[in-house]
Amino acid sequence: MNVRSQVSMVFHLDKCIGCHTCSIACKNIWTDRKGTDYMWWNNVETKPGTGFPTRWEDQEKYKGGWEKNNGSINLKSTDKKRIVLNIFHNPHMPSMDDYYEPWTYDYQNLFNAKEGSDQPTALPISKVTGEQINVESGPNWDDDLGGSPLYAENDPNLEGLTEDQRAQLSAIERLVFFYFPRICNHCLNPACVASCPSGALYKRGEDGIVLIDQKKCRAWRSCVSACPYKKTYFNWFTGKSEKCILCFPRVETGQAPACFHSCVGRIRYLGVLLYDADRIEEVANLPTEELIEGHRSLVLDPNDPVVAEAARRNGIHDSVIESAQKSPVYKFVKEWRIALPPHIEYRTMPMLYYVPPMSPVMSVRNEKTIEHVSDNLFHDIDQARVPLKFLANLFGGGHEAKVVYALRKQKAVRWLRRALTVGDVTMDQAKRMLNEADCTEEEADAIYRLTSLCTFEERFVIPPSHREEAIEMIQDPHERRQSAGFGFLSGPRRGL
Amino acid sequence: MDSAQQYLDQILFGVAPYLALIIFFLGTIQRYRAQAFTYSSLSSQFLENQRHFWGMVPLHYGILVVLLGHVVAFLFPRTLLAWNGHPVRLYILEITALIFGLLTLLGLLSTLTRRLAFSKIRTVTTPADLVLHLMLLVQVGSGVYLAVMHSWGSSWFAASAAPYLWSIITLDPDISYVLAMPFAVKLHIVNACITIGFFPFTRLVHVLVIPNPYLWRKPQVVRWNRDPAAGRGGS
Ligand code: HEM
Ligand code: SF4
Ligand code: SF4
């Protein structure tokens, strides 16, 4: 057992209101520089929809992630041989057209335009060339199902759905969508890291954050093709790739990452998971239907003295182990088993988990009032408005069982709360539901509390990083007193 | 021969190569130490993905093979002459060299026109890029011209250019080999010196940082903040 710690995340999709506050918080801090304008380290997609970059989930096109090949796993298009041969032109790399051309407006024209009979307008100008452009797409172009025939109907997760199921998604008055906020998953088996010819990408041992060493990146751009989630971005101005850094300067100082901190729906949870690094390869190799269970089995019980001892032996600080014991992520992933990794079939072992969304409550119009379909308040899950197959393609690696389990448990919690607070279902009914959902009353209460009443401190249990101790072992801060300090001292200038 | 000409030849073929090499080494090392961030191939594929292929691929496969040819001829001139002893083998070598030279030339023309034609690419084109393209164009152009007009270059390179280059690196420059050669060869040599001297100030530095332990390293890379010497945790 080789115990490592990972700062992991849960996004509770039932709570996301699609406000994009998270994206803006991130953009304002990290990606408002030249060359990064088009990047959205955090973005929020409408599902069904084609996402950002367009159809990123279509691995026939982008060929990201790993694939299983008789007995072992290979990078789909970015293995060593192909990287070397294709280094001059990367055949599966997305280009700016797959994202969008960033633009601003010519506001000066509002002030400087010659007097005339028309109101002056601020025309869009490209942030790349400075020329006028016709804006053809942008991030969230399909927000809230805008342009569904172009976007929603081309969602790669619709694969395998019957005509009926597809129709069900878009039937008038039953139309349904949900939000899918995304950041880098800080994977355990990151394809981006494995593909980099310069070894510029690395996973931090202490907290598992995946970073790109800006001084070592040489713009071979393999990571952009390799990441199946398209969460490494190419800075076209500096000629370096960049990605979500999980706000490590904030996390190291005990603050939640900006997107977490600002989340309006309070859908985000962050905490430590201890895992067994020796078994990553073995698990990444499992057949698809066993991946979710295997992935879960990598996560170790921080309350188990054997695990704690092994962690200590690996230099994991007691305070971090303590933090792992309080981790909200551990509860969602391991204890309650209602949080699932996105697209586990890419085999990167993502460490960001999603609680799959419940479909809206079904209702009927009765003359002038809208009434719930009362005896089947939260409808049967297999008749949910969002077809199970669709959710399974996203969060179950194509298999429905784990998704059903997570939804059924959430539904049972709702029944229990309904029985306790509204009283239009009986306690007996609620208990039967809990029983079916493999959930005790205590567990249901805990889920309810962490979902609905959670405080800031309960959502974000940030481990102390002890960077102050770590840095002293490598560099003596006193040596640098009254000098310029150490680290990246000059601005990111583009090469000649 | 008048002395001004002699003097100029001495500078161009006896001194300039050393100047170029000194600037090359000092420049690249200092740039790496002070500005490691600027070491990048500065790829522009992200901004334009179609024409990109038709420039980058012929340019690189062409130039790498041609450069390899130069290195082999320089290191093993006798072996090369022996190989060329048989006309069929000579033809094969010459034609291969010409094909890859033309490939390079086409690639260069394609990347240069691409740089000028696409407005997005123009915004990431620096003066250094244009100078570099121009120098490479002269270099490759004169090379292809030589291959066509002065046949059997692989043999005469081994017979006279290789000894000249050896005389340079053994610090005993003997420019008599060069003086006997046609103008295009002299241009090729002078422009090579200019390119090498200019190298540290262009994107060509990307050639120096091609990997590394990549081919034999483990897929995953982990870095620790705490004392690596303590050896805890492993990777
Ligand atoms: C094995 C060695 C080399 C590797 C791996 C390599 C790789 C690359 C890469 C990845 C690019 C960026 C292409 C893009 O825009 O996406 C590039 C550009 C370039 N390379 Fe190389 N290169 C190598 C050797 C050379 C050599 C020997 C030369 C010339 C002497 C050269 C000249 C150039 C030029 C001029 C460009 C810029 C072309 C343009 O964007 O207009 N490269 N190289
Ligand atoms: S989500 Fe992509 S960029 Fe992030 S660690 Fe995984 S493979 Fe790398
Ligand atoms: S801030 Fe929170 S609720 Fe709003 S879109 Fe982002 S994840 Fe959803």
Side-chain angles (χ1 to χ4, degrees):
Chain A
M1 191 160 35
N2 179 8
V3 182
R4 274 201 227 143
S5 87
Q6 165 88 34
V7 174
S8 313
M9 306 143 272
V10 167
F11 289 0
H12 197 310
L13 291 189
D14 232 13
K15 305 211 291 169
C16 180
I17 58 174
C19 62
H20 303 282
T21 310
C22 44
S23 307
I24 299 301
C26 175
K27 169 123 304 242
N28 282 339
I29 299 181
W30 301 117
T31 57
D32 56 354
R33 290 160 291 127
K34 185 167 183 182
T36 63
D37 352 45
Y38 83 95
M39 298 180 193
W40 293 88
W41 293 357
N42 181 110
N43 73 312
V44 183
E45 292 168 11
T46 301
K47 280 281 155 194
T50 47
F52 179 77
T54 308
R55 283 179 68 83
W56 61 271
E57 289 152 297
D58 180 358
Q59 303 307 343
E60 288 306 305
K61 172 172 185 206
Y62 292 114
K63 300 221 186 288
W66 305 82
E67 67 187 354
K68 202 166 153 66
N69 254 338
N70 10 310
S72 67
I73 54 168
N74 302 95
L75 286 160
K76 205 162 183 156
S77 71
T78 49
D79 57 301
K80 290 181 180 171
K81 197 176 86 217
R82 268 179 286 187
I83 283 293
V84 169
L85 291 177
N86 292 331
I87 198 153
F88 313 116
H89 175 86
N90 200 321
H92 303 294
M93 179 182 157
S95 74
M96 186 168 262
D97 302 335
D98 295 303
Y99 302 78
Y100 70 105
E101 184 166 349
W103 75 91
T104 178
Y105 293 93
D106 182 13
Y107 294 108
Q108 278 308 313
N109 191 44
L110 299 181
F111 301 98
N112 302 342
K114 280 210 204 80
E115 205 175 315
S117 49
D118 297 322
Q119 192 86 315
T121 53
L123 290 169
I125 43 179
S126 162
K127 279 188 135 184
V128 181
T129 60
E131 293 164 9
Q132 258 182 33
I133 55 166
N134 249 338
V135 176
E136 275 164 5
S137 68
N140 300 311
W141 217 233
D142 59 341
D143 205 26
D144 292 355
L145 293 186
S148 304
L150 258 179
Y151 301 103
E153 287 177 14
N154 285 312
D155 187 319
N157 298 296
L158 293 171
E159 187 171 327
L161 267 69
T162 61
E163 278 308 312
D164 279 355
Q165 285 170 318
R166 284 173 196 243
Q168 180 185 336
L169 271 164
S170 57
I172 305 269
E173 296 205 338
R174 292 181 51 141
L175 192 78
V176 66
F177 63 83
F178 60 92
Y179 298 107
F180 185 33
R182 304 201 299 122
I183 64 173
C184 163
N185 302 301
H186 297 279
C187 308
L188 292 188
N189 187 32
C192 56
V193 174
S195 75
C196 177
S198 295
L201 284 110
Y202 61 99
K203 191 169 178 68
R204 304 211 303 184
E206 282 78 4
D207 51 19
I209 295 176
V210 175
L211 295 177
I212 303 177
D213 185 334
Q214 292 289 298
K215 286 189 178 169
K216 282 180 93 179
C217 170
R218 311 288 181 216
W220 309 131
R221 65 224 175 280
S222 334
C223 56
V224 180
S225 305
C227 172
Y229 303 93
K230 291 293 165 276
K231 278 296 171 188
T232 50
Y233 295 87
F234 186 71
N235 182 325
W236 52 266
F237 180 66
T238 57
K240 305 273 162 167
S241 293
E242 297 186 20
K243 64 181 285 300
C244 160
I245 58 176
L246 200 61
C247 285
F248 73 82
R250 292 175 60 95
V251 171
E252 282 176 8
T253 48
Q255 308 169 72
C259 55
F260 287 71
H261 195 128
S262 63
C263 177
V264 173
R266 303 186 185 179
I267 80 156
R268 299 180 176 220
Y269 301 81
L270 181 134
V272 170
L273 292 182
L274 299 180
Y275 68 95
D276 184 358
D278 281 345
R279 289 188 52 236
I280 297 174
E281 208 180 316
E282 167 203 328
V283 167
N285 243 315
L286 290 172
T288 318
E289 59 277 14
E290 292 168 32
L291 276 173
I292 290 188
E293 209 42 62
H295 187 24
R296 220 176 246 156
S297 76
L298 285 174
V299 178
L300 302 168
D301 179 0
N303 290 306
D304 180 345
V306 181
V307 171
E309 184 42 41
R312 250 175 245 121
R313 248 187 291 125
N314 262 3
I316 296 174
H317 208 279
D318 280 339
S319 58
V320 176
I321 301 175
E322 239 169 73
S323 177
Q325 290 164 351
K326 291 193 219 130
S327 168
V329 178
Y330 185 78
K331 296 195 178 101
F332 277 112
V333 172
K334 230 8 212 200
E335 283 180 16
W336 308 331
R337 308 154 73 81
I338 58 177
L340 301 166
H343 287 298
I344 190 73
E345 72 277 13
Y346 301 160
R347 296 173 189 272
T348 62
M349 305 293 120
M351 291 310 266
L352 159 57
Y353 299 81
Y354 290 88
V355 178
M358 303 284 286
S359 297
V361 174
M362 212 80 94
S363 53
V364 287
R365 186 171 326 159
N366 202 345
E367 295 292 313
K368 281 193 183 125
T369 55
I370 305 258
E371 283 174 7
H372 295 316
V373 185
S374 61
D375 59 330
N376 197 0
L377 191 53
F378 294 107
H379 57 79
D380 285 336
I381 281 161
D382 15 336
Q383 286 166 17
R385 283 206 227 172
V386 183
L388 259 180
K389 178 75 185 148
F390 183 78
L391 289 178
N393 282 346
L394 259 169
F395 302 115
H399 299 275
E400 291 173 13
K402 302 283 185 233
V403 178
V404 171
Y405 182 92
L407 291 178
R408 195 171 276 160
K409 203 175 246 188
Q410 287 190 76
K411 183 175 152 190
V413 173
R414 290 193 184 185
W415 275 67
L416 178 66
R417 294 313 303 170
R418 192 87 190 185
L420 288 171
T421 55
V422 183
D424 62 350
V425 285
T426 65
M427 255 329 243
D428 273 354
Q429 277 175 307
K431 282 190 177 148
R432 200 164 0 100
M433 285 297 280
L434 283 172
N435 217 1
E436 274 174 34
D438 180 33
C439 186
T440 63
E441 238 172 284
E442 297 76 59
E443 187 176 326
D445 191 55
I447 293 176
Y448 156 66
R449 284 181 180 280
L450 196 58
T451 306
S452 308
L453 308 176
C454 44
T455 63
F456 197 89
E457 284 74 23
E458 285 162 339
R459 279 181 283 138
F460 312 128
V461 182
I462 300 163
S465 69
H466 301 288
R467 259 316 271 274
E468 69 288 358
E469 292 173 25
I471 197 79
E472 276 170 26
M473 291 184 199
I474 305 169
Q475 287 178 303
D476 179 7
H478 292 288
E479 229 174 63
R480 313 278 175 141
R481 257 184 2 182
Q482 298 176 348
S483 70
F486 43 82
F488 212 111
L489 296 180
S490 53
R493 184 169 74 82
R494 178 181 165 87
L496 294 162
Chain B
M1 201 185 282
D2 68 284
S3 67
Q5 182 65 39
Q6 259 177 351
Y7 196 62
L8 187 65
D9 284 340
Q10 193 62 41
I11 299 235
L12 285 181
F13 304 111
V15 180
Y18 294 106
L19 255 168
L21 287 173
I22 289 170
I23 299 176
F24 173 84
F25 282 110
L26 290 184
T28 48
I29 292 170
Q30 180 53 22
R31 178 164 169 191
Y32 194 80
R33 284 162 44 124
Q35 287 285 341
F37 182 79
T38 66
Y39 266 68
S40 163
S41 67
L42 297 175
S43 168
S44 55
Q45 183 178 358
F46 180 71
L47 295 174
E48 193 287 310
N49 209 350
Q50 313 289 321
R51 267 289 297 284
H52 183 270
F53 173 87
W54 299 105
M56 299 304 160
V57 172
L59 165 64
H60 281 92
Y61 279 109
I63 194 98
L64 288 176
V65 171
V66 169
L67 279 180
L68 184 74
H70 283 63
V71 171
V72 169
F74 167 64
L75 290 179
F76 313 105
R78 255 177 277 279
T79 322
L80 190 63
L81 284 173
W83 165 278
N84 283 348
H86 201 294
V88 177
R89 292 194 297 213
L90 174 67
Y91 292 146
I92 291 177
L93 189 65
E94 288 280 309
I95 287 175
T96 317
L98 182 61
I99 288 175
F100 280 92
L102 283 172
L103 213 57
T104 317
L105 192 61
L106 289 177
L108 258 180
L109 288 171
S110 173
T111 51
L112 182 60
T113 47
R114 170 176 175 270
R115 287 219 157 257
L116 300 175
F118 293 87
S119 61
K120 282 196 197 120
I121 308 292
R122 271 205 307 275
T123 55
V124 290
T125 300
T126 57
D129 283 332
L130 295 177
V131 176
L132 173 65
H133 271 91
L134 215 66
M135 289 188 312
L136 290 178
L137 218 51
V138 173
Q139 193 63 11
V140 178
S142 59
V144 170
Y145 172 84
L146 280 173
V148 177
M149 304 303 290
H150 300 270
S151 310
W152 326 137
S154 56
S155 286
W156 59 253
F157 182 101
S160 29
Y164 164 66
L165 291 176
W166 274 109
S167 79
I168 296 283
I169 68 157
T170 50
L171 302 183
D172 181 19
D174 179 354
I175 65 170
S176 60
Y177 288 111
V178 185
L179 298 183
M181 298 220 230
F183 172 77
V185 178
K186 291 182 182 164
L187 177 65
H188 201 71
I189 293 177
V190 171
N191 193 64
C193 289
I194 298 177
T195 313
I196 291 171
F198 203 65
F199 189 103
F201 313 104
T202 66
R203 69 164 73 211
L204 273 192
V205 292
H206 73 274
V207 183
L208 301 179
V209 288
I210 31 164
N212 80 52
Y214 173 57
L215 290 177
W216 49 91
R217 73 148 212 255
K218 282 191 294 184
Q220 297 303 348
V221 182
V222 177
R223 282 200 209 167
W224 297 86
N225 278 320
R226 57 171 186 258
D227 187 8
R232 293 178 301 181
S235 59

